Amino acid sequence: MSSNSSAIAIVKPSAAKYAQLGFLKIAESACRQHGDKVWIGEEKAAVLLLAGARHIRFFLENESSFHKELENGTSVRRLLLGQSLITAREGEEWYLARKLTAPLVNPKSVLLKQGTQLSAQWLVEALQAPEKNSVQEICLQWALMCVAHGFAGSTLDPMQLDSLINHFRKIYLQLIIAERTEDYAVLSQHPALTAFREELESMIGPLITGDGGGNVDMLQRFCQALDINAHPQERERAISLLLGNLIASVDNTGIALLWCLTHLSQHPHYQDQVREESRHGTRDMASAIVKESLRLTPVTAFFERTTLGPLEIDGAVVPAGTKVLFSPWLIHRDASYWPEPLSFRPERFLEGRKIAREHFVPFSVGKRNCVGMALALDQLTTAIETLCSQCHFVLAPSTAPAALTPLYGLNVMPRGAICFTLESVGKVTQHECIA
């Protein structure tokens, strides 16, 4: 931190504060007290939080001056996913990953479109089931079903993929804790990681043939593009790319659906509008509901970059190597950009008003924005339209208000159990399910 950049306010939360409030609340409090530009943390480990829309504009205009920090390639996510789209550093490997993935997450893809439609109907049936189920788990299962066939073909059962993803989450959290005391070389030999790699290879490895035959799923396309028959060393890259896309498509999209349902359950009159539009073959309101939910509760609260050289930001010079956090969460909840920002008003996205690019960034921005953005929006919109056409649901009285507050971890999710009371349209059955 240079002397000039020290003119920016700095907040140094104690470990107890982090444990009590979490980083999201600390960031919100820091911005309330000091404005939308503030250092958070101790001197050498401080990150610069930039929470204004002008900072997004600055980033887009100067994107070449930032890069995605991976701590020299030693991040836990990189260790787990290898040269995947999510963790790849700038350069040849990232451009290759992006080039291979982008065409395969098109919502118009036959396999993915089929998965989106079938999983939406499955969601309705799962929520209508009389037994009490976890809505969070249902949402994650729905997200996996949307892409399972299109990503890995029909050979793997979705339950097998679900087991693999749950194992990934468990190992990721385990390695994050171990990272505090172990160096990268030791982590690479961690017994839990070895077990995970064995599971990954035993499950996905047999699906790799290299020729693809008549298949058009993501894994086979990766194998064809990387020509693993001629270059067997690319086999691991194909597996890592598939896993990286699976993780991103399930966790973020599943939790985004959970937030959509949570908001919609508290404003059931919008369900009637979706139902009426669906009868006429349109889904503008369903799409607006999804976008408003992503505005109010973006599952990605922050995205991080690192400055490649000294940069002047708002008149202050920040040095090279500065970790910078941009915040969709704080921008989306800023009254300067959104009237009544804490109110759920899908009409914002129907009024014909052009929304500035820097005011709505639920999928990040720039060349490293979410490659599956269009697919996720289509999946969520289809799910909302299908559910509202067949069900009416409200937030159950048994839901504690505290459960609705956000918990920031791998992504932003509701803090506690959420209960919905569902009633099938045109039927008298009613039951409650639990998130």
Side-chain angles (χ1 to χ4, degrees), residues 7 12 31 82 101 103 105 108 150 170 177-178 196 210 220 274 281 320 344 363 365 377 427:
K12 300 179 181 180
C31 286
T101 300
V105 289
K108 294 181 180 179
K170 179 181 177 182
I177 294 171
F196 174 70
Q220 294 296 346
V274 171
F344 184 75
F363 297 96
V365 291
L377 286 172
K427 298 181 182 179

Side-chain angles (χ1 to χ4, degrees), residues 158-178:
M159 294 302 292
Q160 293 176 290
L161 288 174
D162 183 55
S163 172
L164 181 66
I165 292 173
N166 283 329
H167 194 177
F168 174 92
R169 293 189 194 104
K170 179 181 177 182
I171 299 306
Y172 179 72
L173 294 173
Q174 192 172 345
L175 292 182
I176 284 290
I177 294 171

Side-chain angles (χ1 to χ4, degrees), residues 16 46 70 73 87 104 118 155 169 175 309 350 361 379 389 396 403 413 426 428:
L70 291 171
T87 63
L104 304 182
L118 291 176
T155 305
R169 293 189 194 104
L175 292 182
L350 292 174
V361 287
Q379 292 167 344
S389 296
M413 59 196 304
V428 296

Side-chain angles (χ1 to χ4, degrees), residues 214-256:
N215 295 324
V216 290
D217 62 77
M218 178 179 280
L219 179 60
Q220 294 296 346
R221 291 283 180 87
F222 284 155
C223 291
Q224 292 171 18
L226 295 171
D227 193 7
I228 65 168
N229 286 332
H231 307 285
Q233 71 275 12
E234 296 285 17
R235 173 190 178 92
E236 183 180 348
R237 182 185 296 214
I239 294 176
S240 295
L241 280 167
L242 175 68
L243 181 60
N245 279 286
L246 265 175
I247 298 300
S249 298
V250 172
D251 277 37
N252 285 349
T253 312
I255 297 304

